[in-house]
Amino acid sequence: MSTRHRAAVLGSPIAHSLSPVLHRAAYAALGLDDWSYGQFEVDEAALPGFVGELDASWAGLSLTMPLKRAIIPLLDEITDTAASVEAVNTVVFTEDGRRVGDNTDIPGMIAALRERGVEKVDSAAVLGAGATASSALAALARICSGPVTAYVRSEARAGEMRGWGERLGVDVRTAAWGDAAEALAAPLVVATTPAGTTDALAGAVPDAPGTLFDVLYDPWPTRLAAAWSARGGKVVGGLDLLVHQAVLQVEQMTGRTPGPLAAMRAAGERALAER
């Protein structure tokens, strides 16, 4: 019988993380009374020491910024999904002691869209060019049959997005952030920018919008998401992404499938309402 029953989320800053709420709700729903899930403030410098001290009671780790790339040299292997964006948000410790890295953000995005009935699109737009944008491109590589236009603030960012497109097999085109209102006509718009960045676009939502995937969850709804809903468009939010990627982590770490998605979402909604 496995003795692995501990997991945690690492990052810096980490106090805002909803991961403990989601994972603990999953353990309760699955009857895993002996499992625990913590959170630890760990930066890149402290990461090797932290991981090196973990014993055989550990089942896995969730990684947030700035550790998603820093963890990679400390692992025995990473999945093709994680390698495609050079980012690991999940580490599973196997029974034989190996450290395996994965990225559940990408399949989490796809699952969140599928839950809203979005399985294939013929084009898409991405607002922003940070780490989440590269994961969005990896997800779009699986569901978008045509071009993806990325709206960015600099030519350097534009070059990065085109580079990710070449690597992931996505036809990425770039446009200036000043033209971001044009993005809203796409059948799928993925907003990956920090809070407040897209507020000015709320007045430009078309009369018959498609689907907006806004990766923010606090504060929610964003002004853009609220305007999108008011116009009758589908909205997928950051909590949807968080819950779907977390349920995949729970499944990998505990070996219990399917993970309790509804219980985890309800716990996340309660936690956000209390903030």
Side-chain angles (χ1 to χ4, degrees):
M1 184 171 134
S2 174
T3 59
R4 297 177 304 125
H5 58 270
R6 298 179 67 189
V9 60
L10 315 181
S12 183
I14 200 62
H16 69 289
S17 178
L18 278 180
S19 292
V21 169
L22 301 181
H23 284 252
R24 290 168 187 166
Y27 299 161
L30 292 170
L32 299 175
D33 299 333
D34 58 337
W35 278 66
S36 66
Y37 190 98
Q39 65 182 43
F40 295 90
E41 183 84 16
V42 178
D43 60 16
E44 293 172 270
L47 183 61
F50 184 95
V51 173
E53 293 176 359
L54 300 181
D55 61 25
S57 67
W58 284 82
L61 298 171
S62 305
L63 287 306
T64 187
M65 299 305 292
L67 305 179
K68 293 185 179 183
R69 290 186 178 167
I71 189 69
I72 293 175
L74 307 177
L75 304 177
D76 295 299
E77 64 179 281
I78 64 174
T79 64
D80 291 342
T81 300
S84 73
V85 290
E86 297 177 355
V88 165
N89 77 329
T90 308
V91 176
V92 174
F93 299 101
T94 65
E95 293 286 0
D96 60 4
R98 293 175 59 77
R99 304 167 181 167
V100 180
D102 194 12
N103 186 309
T104 63
D105 286 331
I106 296 166
M109 284 185 175
I110 295 169
L113 285 165
R114 185 184 302 120
E115 186 180 33
R116 293 293 193 277
V118 181
E119 298 197 15
K120 291 289 182 182
V121 292
D122 56 15
S123 65
V126 174
L127 301 175
T132 305
S134 60
S135 291
L137 286 181
L140 289 170
R142 305 184 189 184
I143 68 169
C144 183
S145 60
V148 175
T149 304
Y151 291 80
V152 299
R153 292 191 181 278
S154 70
E155 181 51 41
R157 288 291 199 180
E160 290 174 7
M161 290 297 280
R162 287 192 294 267
W164 280 115
E166 291 176 8
R167 177 170 181 164
L168 294 165
V170 180
D171 177 10
V172 173
R173 303 168 187 185
T174 55
W177 182 260
D179 297 325
E182 297 175 1
L184 308 187
L188 173 60
V189 180
V190 185
T192 70
T193 52
T197 307
T198 62
D199 285 357
L201 298 175
V205 176
D207 289 335
T211 300
L212 172 69
F213 194 155
D214 194 326
V215 303
L216 295 173
Y217 62 84
D218 188 15
W220 185 262
T222 63
R223 284 183 59 190
L224 179 59
W228 203 276
S229 291
R231 292 281 189 175
K234 291 182 181 180
V235 174
V236 184
L239 183 60
D240 298 310
L241 169 59
L242 198 62
V243 171
H244 275 283
Q245 66 81 26
V247 79
L248 295 172
Q249 291 183 332
V250 168
E251 289 174 356
Q252 290 190 32
M253 294 177 191
T254 67
R256 300 284 291 274
T257 303
L261 183 73
M264 295 169 72
R265 174 178 273 125
E269 290 172 345
R270 285 195 299 271
L272 288 175
E274 292 169 1
R275 288 189 175 181

